[in-house]
Amino acid sequence: MSHGTVKSVKKNGSQVDESSREGSESLPPPPDGGWGWMVVFASFMIHIVTDGMTYSFGVFYAEFLTYFNEGQSKTAWIVSILVGVTLSSGPVSSSFVNRWGCRTVTVAGALLSSVCVVASAFAKNVTTLIFTIGVGAGVGFGLIYLPAIVSVTVWFKRYRSLATGIAVCGSGLGTFLFAPITDALISNYGWRGAMALIGAFILNCVPLGLMFRAVPERPITPITEPMLPKQNKSPLKRSQSSEQVVRANGKFEDDVARLTLSQPALNKPHEQQKPHSRQGSGIMQRPDVLYQGSMTSLARFRGVSPERVQLSFKREEREQSCGWLPCSEESKAALAEMLDISLLVDPVFILFALSNFLTSIGFYIPYVYTVPMSAALGIENSAYLISIIGASNLVGRIILGYISDKPWVNRLLAYNVCLTIAGISTAMAMACWEFWGLALYATMFGFTIGAYVGLTSVVLVDLLGIEKLTNAFGLLLLFQGIASLIGPPFAGWLFDSLNSYAPAFFVAGGTISLSGLILFFIPMLERRSKRDTTIEQI
């Protein structure tokens, strides 16, 4: 009996690992359509609900400041912990998805976050809101966040960039809609009534999550014995030698042999070729599952065939008795891979992770403080500024996602330039004192910051390769979660100390622009690494 083998293939200078095991099979190939478009719709709507509430939380924040009067810094911990827990729970969510699938995890997250948000309507102080919204809803949104992306990517290959682009655009639309809706709900029902209604609205993610079907498996036609060529009872023609007949049959037998090697299940008896009932989905072990660009673009840039990016899973899954915890081999492997710290010795990844950390520090400050800052300036309808950020963010994600798949676009350069502009515009927002000036800032910030969310995974693949994406993305989620805990409370502390919103926006602008500027050093690091490799080979 042969054992699993691992071989390395070099193609166009790119190193690709291929693993094959006896008794293994590939996940169903993405159908690029069909029910997949319903999955895109469900993900789009889920992004509207979850990100809409998160990014428009500045409206609630201004209300909490007045109602509880517990200071800017302490009140900011609510949204800070909400975002930090949502992002940091990514690796755990991935293991849950691997064990129970996208549908179950999404429904569980929707129920948990809905209950916690409704419970927030009865809070007596900010500390209670930190636990109900920050921790409770944060864990729930974390269970929703990952499946909403993963469920789309497994359905698409050629149109993956378009499909994921449509799905994540729900975030911008949700921000655009939720800010004025939340403001109107607070005006009519108070913040407690508005919180209860939004909590009930989150329950819509339950039927949407049920739409995250797994990609259907293609039926395997069993072959019990090869169909030999029809024998000719007449004697061989003088022009046809016996050697030609043997050669013809030998070509046919080679084809059958290649077929059975590529489909090991065909070697088994017919009664053993029933579909394998897996208790885990194994989705997160797929190296391309977090990649949001099109696979055709990936093949062009990385020299890797899309069909090569597949997951092999064990036919016989070894389960341990761990109660409700995801203890399957696949789940543990997914969790271990997303928490693998081996990339921390790679200078390119370290620089990119530092950039992500700096971006995340300043990213949520405009969402939280734009409303109270503009209200302090005496500007009416300040909630509409959040809507403008959301609308321009939607347009930015579409345009940046579209051009990033073009062969003539340097995606790292586009990413760097967008972050630098977003940071500079945030710092310059303090020069505005009327609605139209702040609206111009909101437009610029919303459009350019779309690169941070939409291009992170594709730039990671360009820099590190598809085989390291899961590991890199998992570590980045942890960095982003930690940084999100720092930004808004620190900005609130600056206001409490200096009684001005200007320092907060200067900090946000400085960290975001610095995050873009330091990435201009990555090409220099890559050239140095390539030069060192050449010297070692000599």
Side-chain angles (χ1 to χ4, degrees):
M1 181 178 294
S2 62
H3 298 279
T5 59
V6 179
K7 63 181 180 178
S8 182
V9 177
K10 263 193 174 181
K11 186 174 181 181
N12 295 342
S14 179
Q15 188 89 3
V16 183
D17 291 331
E18 291 185 309
S19 61
S20 59
R21 288 189 179 96
E22 183 180 9
S24 299
E25 63 184 21
S26 301
L27 280 179
D32 271 316
W35 186 260
W37 293 114
M38 296 301 295
V39 173
V40 172
F41 170 76
S43 180
F44 175 81
M45 296 301 296
I46 283 176
H47 275 86
I48 288 179
V49 176
T50 57
D51 286 351
M53 177 187 172
T54 301
Y55 292 143
S56 63
F57 193 82
V59 182
F60 275 117
Y61 176 80
E63 204 59 31
F64 292 155
L65 285 175
T66 304
Y67 188 88
F68 294 110
N69 194 28
E70 295 193 31
Q72 300 261 353
S73 180
K74 184 177 181 179
T75 308
W77 277 107
I78 302 172
V79 65
S80 182
I81 293 178
L82 169 65
V83 175
V85 171
T86 298
L87 296 173
S88 300
S89 61
V92 177
S93 179
S94 72
S95 67
F96 285 178
V97 168
N98 234 21
R99 176 62 178 84
W100 289 297
C102 292
R103 299 173 87 181
T104 303
V105 175
T106 303
V107 170
L111 293 174
L112 175 61
S113 54
S114 176
V115 170
C116 291
V117 172
V118 170
S120 302
F122 303 95
K124 301 297 183 181
N125 49 53
V126 170
T127 303
T128 303
L129 291 173
I130 289 176
F131 283 97
T132 55
I133 296 180
V135 178
V139 172
F141 284 173
L143 296 179
I144 298 174
Y145 171 73
L146 199 72
I149 295 295
V150 167
S151 57
V152 174
T153 61
V154 298
W155 276 88
F156 293 88
K157 181 175 66 177
R158 170 183 283 186
Y159 303 118
R160 180 178 293 184
S161 180
L162 174 63
T164 54
I166 293 173
V168 299
C169 278
S171 175
L173 183 59
T175 308
F176 174 77
L177 296 174
F178 260 70
I181 289 175
T182 301
D183 190 50
L185 289 176
I186 292 175
S187 299
N188 288 279
Y189 303 103
W191 72 264
R192 296 185 185 274
M195 189 68 72
L197 290 172
I198 291 177
F201 188 72
I202 294 175
L203 285 175
N204 286 290
C205 293
V206 172
L208 292 171
L210 292 174
M211 297 171 67
F212 290 158
R213 293 181 184 174
V215 178
E217 297 188 10
R218 291 182 178 178
I220 299 177
T221 305
I223 297 181
T224 55
E225 62 180 37
M227 297 177 60
L228 297 176
K230 196 172 182 179
Q231 294 183 352
N232 190 353
K233 295 182 180 180
S234 60
L236 293 175
K237 295 182 179 180
R238 184 178 299 270
S239 60
Q240 185 178 21
S241 65
S242 59
E243 183 181 355
Q244 290 175 316
V245 175
V246 172
R247 186 181 297 117
N249 286 333
K251 288 178 180 180
F252 177 80
E253 288 170 2
D254 287 343
D255 291 339
V256 174
R258 280 194 295 270
L259 179 62
T260 54
L261 284 174
S262 63
Q263 299 289 341
L266 301 183
N267 289 321
K268 297 187 176 183
H270 175 67
E271 60 272 9
Q272 296 182 8
Q273 294 177 20
K274 296 178 181 179
H276 176 59
S277 58
R278 293 167 301 198
Q279 296 191 11
S281 68
I283 292 176
M284 293 306 301
Q285 284 179 277
R286 189 174 185 150
D288 65 317
V289 74
L290 296 172
Y291 182 71
Q292 298 184 27
S294 70
M295 296 302 291
T296 53
S297 173
L298 175 64
R300 180 167 61 249
F301 282 105
R302 303 297 303 173
V304 181
S305 171
E307 288 75 15
R308 199 182 296 279
V309 185
Q310 294 177 339
L311 163 71
S312 295
F313 62 88
K314 294 182 179 179
R315 184 173 290 276
E316 299 296 335
E317 184 180 22
R318 296 191 297 270
E319 293 288 337
Q320 300 178 3
S321 177
C322 297
W324 62 275
L325 291 174
C327 293
S328 69
E329 294 295 329
E330 293 173 347
S331 300
K332 290 191 293 184
L335 182 60
E337 186 174 6
M338 293 196 81
L339 294 176
D340 184 5
I341 62 173
S342 61
L343 273 176
L344 294 180
V345 297
D346 187 333
V348 172
F349 175 76
I350 291 174
L351 195 61
F352 195 84
L354 176 62
S355 171
N356 255 243
F357 186 83
L358 292 172
T359 307
S360 297
I361 288 178
F363 180 79
Y364 291 97
I365 290 177
Y367 286 102
V368 176
Y369 291 99
T370 294
V371 172
M373 180 268 293
S374 57
L377 292 175
I379 296 175
E380 298 181 356
N381 300 321
S382 55
Y384 285 104
L385 292 172
I386 302 296
S387 295
I388 294 173
I389 293 178
S392 56
N393 186 263
L394 187 154
V395 175
R397 292 192 188 194
I398 294 175
I399 294 177
L400 293 173
Y402 174 76
I403 66 173
S404 68
D405 272 336
K406 300 302 179 184
W408 44 268
V409 173
N410 185 326
R411 298 194 276 201
L412 176 62
L413 179 61
Y415 184 85
N416 301 350
V417 170
C418 284
L419 289 184
T420 304
I421 294 175
I424 293 174
S425 62
T426 300
M428 293 182 63
M430 291 298 94
C432 305
W433 59 86
E434 58 181 8
F435 180 84
W436 294 111
L438 289 173
L440 179 62
Y441 153 69
T443 302
M444 183 69 69
F445 173 78
F447 184 93
T448 53
I449 207 64
Y452 175 56
V453 180
L455 299 185
T456 296
S457 68
V458 296
V459 172
L460 270 179
V461 171
D462 288 342
L463 296 177
L464 304 174
I466 190 70
E467 65 278 1
K468 295 183 180 179
L469 176 60
T470 302
N471 183 5
F473 201 86
L475 290 174
L476 285 181
L477 285 178
L478 294 179
F479 282 118
Q480 292 173 10
I482 295 171
S484 300
L485 292 174
I486 298 174
F490 180 67
W493 176 80
L494 288 175
F495 178 87
D496 292 337
S497 302
L498 304 174
N499 198 30
S500 172
Y501 287 103
F505 278 81
F506 289 148
V507 167
T511 55
I512 295 174
S513 58
L514 181 60
S515 71
L517 290 173
I518 63 175
L519 291 182
F520 284 101
F521 290 100
I522 283 186
M524 184 188 305
L525 288 176
E526 289 182 323
R527 287 193 297 268
R528 180 180 178 182
S529 176
K530 189 177 298 184
R531 185 173 63 251
D532 292 342
T533 303
T534 305
I535 294 175
E536 289 178 2
Q537 291 176 350
I538 295 175

